[in-house]
Amino acid sequence: MTIPQFVQKAINDELKMAGLYSEQNNPLYGEITKIAFSSTAGLTNGWWNIALTLKGTSGQSASTEVTYNFKSGFDAITACNQTAQALGPAVQDLIKQLVADPKFAALISNN
């Protein structure tokens, strides 16, 4: 699964759990406008930086960006594994920040 597919699935799963997802509703279109990571920030720390814009068929949009910091490790194998493991929590923070934005509520209600 690619990172955009992972983000899409995470958003869809959250909308389904909230009862806001339906195959019959007008779709939301998402674009990851920024994605970057480091597994060696400060030698044993890392971060993910993800920015996302959702647009509805009504023309409204909501955007957010999150930087998620984590402990990566000293050796390459640990740092790579920790970076991969941190993607899930980073995407959860992105979704949390997105749905807290009043523009998201307007996007969902007008879509």
Side-chain angles (χ1 to χ4, degrees):
M1 182 180 296
T2 66
I3 292 174
Q5 290 169 331
F6 182 82
V7 172
Q8 178 183 11
K9 182 179 181 327
I11 291 171
N12 286 345
D13 288 350
E14 291 293 333
L15 291 174
K16 287 174 186 174
M17 290 188 67
L20 298 172
Y21 181 91
S22 171
E23 295 287 335
Q24 290 76 35
N25 286 347
N26 291 327
L28 295 174
Y29 299 95
E31 178 183 4
I32 295 175
T33 56
K34 179 194 265 185
I35 189 153
F37 69 89
S38 173
S39 62
T40 60
L43 194 58
T44 61
N45 296 307
W47 51 262
W48 278 97
N49 182 254
I50 308 169
L52 173 72
T53 298
L54 286 183
K55 296 177 184 176
T57 55
S58 66
Q60 292 187 319
S61 66
S63 298
T64 193
E65 181 174 348
V66 68
T67 298
Y68 179 81
N69 297 296
F70 61 93
K71 290 283 186 191
S72 64
F74 185 73
D75 63 283
I77 293 172
T78 302
C80 288
N81 285 336
Q82 292 298 97
T83 301
Q85 292 297 318
L87 178 59
V91 171
Q92 287 299 311
D93 277 4
L94 181 74
I95 293 169
K96 181 180 174 183
Q97 191 167 311
L98 180 68
V99 300
D101 185 339
K103 289 181 182 178
F104 179 77
L107 178 65
I108 293 295
S109 65
N110 290 325
N111 205 37

